[in-house]
Amino acid sequence: MIFTPTPLSAAEDALRHEVRDWLDGTLPADFRPGLGLGGRHDPDFSRALATRGWVGMSIPRQYGGAGASTVQRFLVVEELLAAGAPIAAHWIAERQTAPALLRFGTEEQRRWFLPRIAAGECFFSLGMSEPDAGSDLAAVRTTATRVDGGWEVSGTKVWTTNAHLNHFFVVLCRTSASENRHGGLSQLVVDLSSPGVTVSPIPLIDGELHVNEVVLDRVHVPDDRVLGEIGQGWAQVTAELAHERSGPDRYLSVLGLLRNYLAEHGKDLDDAAATAFGRIAARLWSIRQLSLAVARSLDEGEAPATEAALVKDVGTIFEQQTVETVREIAACEIDPGGSMFQQLLAECVLNAPSWTLRGGTTEVLRGIAAKALTGGGAR
Amino acid sequence: MSDTTELRDAVADVLRGRCSPAVLEDAERDGGAPTVWAALADGGFTTVSVPEPAGGSGGSVAQACAVLEAVGAAAAPVPVAETGLLAGRLLARAGLGLPDGPLSTAPSPGLVLDDGVLVGSVDRVPWGRSAASALVVDGGTVVLVEPGTGVVTPGRNLAGEPRDHVDLTGVRPAAVAPVDPIAVDELARRGALSRAALIAGAARAVLELTLRYTGDREQFGRPVARFPAVAAHLVQIAEQTELAAMAVGAAAAGAGDEGEPDPLAVAAAASVAADVAGAVATAAHQATGAMGMTREFGLGVLTRRLWSWRDEWGGGRSWAAELGHALAAGGADTFWPTISRGLVR
């Protein structure tokens, strides 16, 4: 395990305060925070953030990014998530697509996409899940067939967050039949405004309409939009998932709830409520240090996949337990139209089940972590 | 941080083979393990974090906690926490030198000094029967009493470690010195941190033991670790262990080379460790089945300590309350800055 307490340098600490101060001055006083990575989709905010160099931070300078370290990006992202800032527009492009393009993209793709991502002008969704391929991504049935100058893609993707607002998504699809179910998969960058793309909302439990079904009907994708190598989709997508885990998005969904609990109830906490709140805070304190340690080890060239899975598991369970505990100590009937705290509590209760699903379910993650811990299952 | 890792490994090396089941059974019966103590004392590991001029080995709070993690992992039945991080530092703070041999201390709110003579008793003193005790009286004076003074009523914790009632009425201390009243709070915090460090160490030992057992034990034709329900316990033990170790490590590192740990960081570590102790014990016993419940299997000596240490020096509940009240008093706007302030070089 790579978990060691991680001191920040003075420069790193200063960066954190710079972001915090900027957010204080930028977000309106009556701002309703989003639930961590569930922050709202606001292209203006993303562009404003980009002018500070805080979008696509880890993109190298030659591609328009800040060439920042993983820890520097961690600190900026953490402040954004803690504030519940409206980061949804650039979130996937910056967290996931940019690193994938850097690793697997052609020089031409990097030169075209990365500066746009870093400028907060080019937004991506994920094109992995399908109706019959959730945790088991190798079961994808979306198929691309070879045509003159590119590929023709047909199939159905689901849980595609903000596909109705974003520009592109990276589609995992079959480009050939393979005896090995991890073979024959490829990733294509699909323009969501292409002919043949139909985006329809999947209303969620809270009535929100930001998640979609995307039907691809013979959508043409030119050769220069193939990401990485044809047939290497499985290896690529597995590498990509490491960026999806262990970050601050896995424990900060409840930060706005906790802050507003203090704002509305903090003046008269009895011992029982203070104890319950203290336990939550203590756990958050420690989980944050674990996540920061993962970021630091990435900068030091390690690949802490097991640690990342552990942090995501412990972080998301923490988030769910926090909602239940806060609900208990607030001791009220939840009013979705009530105070800021009430609104956030309502949103948290309705959304909490998704926290241990997105980015790999608890069960799948524990399977991965257990394999690593036990050296493959048997010793 | 590598110096702490090396120190932890060095202490683990010293303890390897020395805390055998027989030694631990004897210690429970006799209230001590002289050979274990001698090995640690010879290496200078019992007074880490006590300044050298006072008779200690020097070193930081973080290094003392590294020693305690190894002590906890080995279930070593000796008052290392008390001798160094707790009583040793308290005596040094009061300008008193360390006597030879094991030391102890405990909260002593009922103890007073009347014309040079102690009045009152102290409850649940670790190894009170055999260690010299450094105690605070009247909130501003440190007294040192020699081993076996007063009327000792033997007691123990769930792990069979001595936790004695010591009536000191009529005892004249071997040494007396004034101390800054803040030393009382600092001692309580170091007490809580010492238990968190011991818990972190024991939890890691539980993890290793449970991984080994579930990897070897076969049922239905394969190692039980391969069953997802059992694997989930293993993952949770690992997560909880890392949580506790990180909480301790961060709080201890925050003390720097010579200072005291941050009060809120200690409160967080104590709260996390107490929760971890319970969660790890539950999951490990479930994963190891009936074997884990036996006296012959090594799990019990660890889980009985986890169940004891989590309640000592205030226990997780009181430290969580302290943290919760402090955060509430700080207000909503300082909540996140406090949680995230971490360590800055």
Side-chain angles (χ1 to χ4, degrees):
Chain A
M1 293 287 158
I2 47 75
F3 295 123
T4 50
T6 306
L8 298 181
S9 69
E12 288 167 340
D13 194 46
L15 170 65
R16 175 169 65 170
H17 285 96
E18 195 188 338
V19 180
R20 194 174 285 169
D21 292 345
W22 182 81
L23 284 167
D24 274 348
T26 303
L27 299 174
D30 61 347
F31 175 72
R32 175 170 160 189
L35 308 186
L37 70 89
R40 276 175 293 287
H41 194 285
D42 182 347
D44 289 338
F45 178 84
S46 293
R47 278 189 287 270
L49 195 65
T51 63
R52 303 299 310 254
W54 294 334
V55 176
M57 284 183 73
S58 48
I59 296 173
R61 287 180 187 278
Q62 80 238 46
Y63 302 119
S69 68
T70 308
V71 168
Q72 287 172 318
R73 179 181 176 273
F74 174 99
L75 295 169
V76 170
V77 167
E78 195 180 46
E79 290 305 318
L80 292 168
L81 295 169
I87 43 92
H90 68 269
W91 179 253
I92 295 298
E94 110 105 24
R95 182 188 71 182
Q96 208 150 329
T97 316
L101 284 163
L102 270 170
R103 191 148 169 207
F104 304 113
T106 63
E107 184 60 22
E108 187 192 355
Q109 287 170 340
R110 294 179 192 175
R111 287 189 184 286
W112 199 89
F113 283 110
L114 294 178
R116 286 170 172 79
I117 289 174
E121 288 170 359
C122 181
F123 306 137
F124 275 78
S125 297
L126 294 173
M128 295 191 192
S129 299
E130 295 187 7
D132 293 319
S135 292
D136 181 14
L137 273 183
V140 294
R141 290 207 294 243
T142 294
T143 303
T145 49
R146 197 77 184 108
V147 294
D148 194 24
W151 297 82
E152 198 171 83
V153 193
S154 292
T156 301
K157 292 291 175 181
V158 289
W159 321 130
T160 315
T161 304
N162 292 322
H164 59 307
L165 300 171
N166 291 342
H167 306 107
F168 297 93
F169 72 153
V170 180
V171 171
L172 180 69
C173 57
R174 293 222 153 264
T175 42
S176 66
S178 170
E179 297 203 353
N180 172 357
R181 60 197 300 270
H182 293 157
L185 292 168
S186 303
Q187 286 186 294
L188 305 180
V189 179
V190 175
D191 188 330
L192 282 160
S193 64
S194 305
V197 175
T198 307
V199 177
S200 16
I202 302 173
L204 291 187
I205 196 169
D206 58 355
E208 292 289 322
L209 299 176
H210 49 75
V211 166
N212 301 282
E213 175 192 73
V214 183
V215 175
L216 304 161
D217 181 18
R218 301 179 63 189
V219 176
H220 182 78
V221 180
D223 278 327
D224 62 8
R225 290 282 165 81
V226 173
L227 176 61
E229 280 182 54
I230 289 293
Q232 291 302 306
W234 181 255
Q236 291 173 203
V237 90
T238 308
E240 202 179 305
L241 284 174
H243 292 280
E244 226 188 300
R245 296 181 178 143
S246 92
D249 38 325
R250 301 308 176 184
Y251 55 87
L252 286 176
S253 305
V254 291
L255 212 281
L257 178 73
L258 292 171
R259 200 170 53 233
N260 280 279
Y261 172 77
L262 282 187
E264 292 186 24
H265 298 274
K267 290 277 176 286
D268 48 8
L269 289 198
D270 61 21
D271 259 0
T275 303
F277 193 86
R279 286 176 78 182
I280 291 171
R283 197 152 274 250
L284 174 58
W285 194 302
S286 187
I287 293 171
R288 176 185 178 271
Q289 289 284 345
L290 292 180
S291 183
L292 178 59
V294 171
R296 186 69 89 196
S297 82
L298 284 168
D299 278 337
E300 289 165 358
E302 301 188 53
T306 311
E307 287 87 345
L310 289 182
V311 173
K312 180 184 184 286
D313 188 39
V314 82
T316 52
I317 301 270
F318 156 79
E319 291 184 329
Q320 288 181 340
Q321 287 173 339
T322 293
V323 175
E324 282 306 288
T325 301
V326 169
R327 183 189 62 77
E328 275 179 32
I329 59 180
C332 54
E333 289 184 30
I334 301 172
D335 178 3
S339 67
M340 181 78 84
F341 167 70
Q342 287 285 328
Q343 292 176 38
L344 288 168
L345 183 55
E347 201 179 334
C348 280
V349 169
L350 293 174
N351 281 278
S354 72
W355 298 338
T356 46
L357 303 174
R358 62 188 184 191
T361 65
T362 299
E363 291 72 18
V364 168
L365 280 168
R366 286 181 179 171
I368 293 169
K371 241 182 207 171
L373 286 173
T374 59
R379 301 188 132 224
Chain B
M1 303 299 148
S2 66
D3 61 336
T4 55
T5 310
E6 282 167 22
L7 188 53
R8 193 178 70 193
D9 293 347
V11 175
D13 282 344
V14 170
L15 292 172
R16 190 161 296 122
R18 283 199 160 91
C19 298
S20 64
V23 169
L24 294 181
E25 288 290 349
D26 288 352
E28 283 199 40
R29 189 190 58 229
D30 305 338
T35 55
V36 178
W37 174 262
L40 289 171
D42 285 350
F45 298 120
T46 52
T47 56
V48 174
S49 84
V50 181
E52 290 180 35
S57 301
S60 63
V61 168
Q63 288 173 322
C65 286
V67 171
L68 293 179
E69 283 189 42
V71 168
V78 283
V80 177
E82 286 71 21
T83 302
L85 188 59
L86 305 184
R89 267 175 89 95
L90 176 65
L91 289 172
R93 184 85 148 85
L96 295 171
L98 267 61
D100 288 337
L103 296 174
S104 189
T105 186
S108 47
L111 200 61
V112 294
L113 199 56
D114 182 15
D115 201 17
V117 174
L118 290 164
V119 178
S121 61
V122 189
D123 212 12
R124 300 194 68 76
V125 183
W127 287 272
R129 65 193 75 165
S130 55
S133 293
L135 302 161
V136 180
V137 292
D138 305 326
T141 304
V142 172
V143 299
L144 179 67
V145 297
E146 287 174 350
T149 16
V151 179
V152 177
T153 310
R156 59 196 172 91
N157 64 15
L158 291 170
E161 295 177 322
R163 295 293 186 264
D164 300 332
H165 180 88
V166 183
D167 189 341
L168 291 166
T169 301
V171 169
R172 193 170 287 276
V176 179
V179 73
D180 187 326
I182 202 170
V184 181
D185 293 335
E186 290 174 351
L187 176 65
R189 284 197 283 271
R190 293 200 306 277
L193 186 61
S194 74
R195 267 41 188 178
L198 289 165
I199 286 170
R204 198 173 293 284
V206 168
L207 171 64
E208 286 165 10
L209 189 63
T210 309
L211 281 174
R212 202 159 54 236
Y213 180 77
T214 57
D216 290 341
R217 167 78 171 165
E218 295 200 359
Q219 290 284 272
F220 305 104
R222 52 181 169 153
V224 293
R226 289 222 202 132
F227 291 91
V230 176
H233 289 308
L234 302 178
V235 171
Q236 285 173 288
I237 295 169
E239 287 168 1
Q240 298 296 312
T241 298
E242 297 300 343
L243 263 185
M246 181 57 84
V248 171
D257 290 339
E258 291 174 2
E260 288 286 315
D262 172 69
L264 295 189
V266 169
S271 169
V272 166
D275 286 349
V276 165
V280 162
T282 301
H285 277 294
Q286 194 65 27
T288 54
M291 183 52 70
M293 294 302 292
T294 66
R295 195 83 173 183
E296 76 172 270
F297 190 62
L299 185 61
V301 297
L302 293 165
T303 54
R304 286 190 290 134
R305 282 170 172 78
L306 290 173
W307 289 321
S308 299
W309 293 334
R310 64 178 173 173
D311 290 329
E312 295 179 351
W313 285 101
R317 196 189 167 285
S318 73
W319 290 103
E322 177 157 326
L323 180 59
H325 280 304
L327 289 167
D333 290 342
T334 60
F335 174 66
W336 172 244
T338 302
I339 293 286
S340 63
R341 67 188 174 201
L343 309 164
V344 179
R345 217 166 7 217

